[in-house]
């Protein structure tokens, strides 16, 4: 079990691609963040394009 001082999960580029796909499917940023055990701000940074630039383009290319 994690202690309060341990950092939350750090999103990878592949995670960011999945974040985009989940976000487009209507899932809230809060639920996405909870599933990765990370701060909602990290998910928002992906959506705003500040973290893992290019992940949106990869997500669009792999979108069904």
């Amino acid at each position: 079990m994690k202690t309060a001082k341990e950092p939350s999960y750090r999103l990878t580029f592949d995670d960011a691609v999945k974040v985009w796909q989940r976000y487009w499917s209507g899932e809230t940023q809060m639920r996405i963040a909870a599933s990765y055990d990370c701060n909602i701000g990290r998910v928002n940074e992906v959506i705003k394009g500040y973290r893992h630039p290019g992940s949106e383009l990869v997500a669009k290319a792999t979108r069904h």
Side-chain angles (χ1 to χ4, degrees):
M1 178 169 255
K2 283 188 167 188
T3 64
K5 293 187 179 200
E6 288 185 56
S8 61
Y9 180 75
R10 181 172 290 221
L11 294 171
T12 65
F13 187 87
D14 290 337
D15 293 335
V17 171
K18 291 175 188 163
V19 164
W20 277 110
Q21 293 167 340
R22 292 171 68 176
Y23 181 70
W24 291 330
S25 72
E27 203 166 341
T28 66
Q29 292 180 39
M30 185 177 289
R31 291 210 182 264
I32 295 168
S35 71
Y36 284 106
D37 189 27
C38 71
N39 185 297
I40 189 173
R42 303 304 73 82
V43 171
N44 188 261
E45 288 173 349
V46 170
I47 301 301
K48 298 273 185 177
Y50 303 140
R51 190 174 294 267
H52 298 301
S55 61
E56 182 180 12
L57 294 175
V58 173
K60 280 182 183 176
T62 59
R63 198 172 185 184
H64 297 113

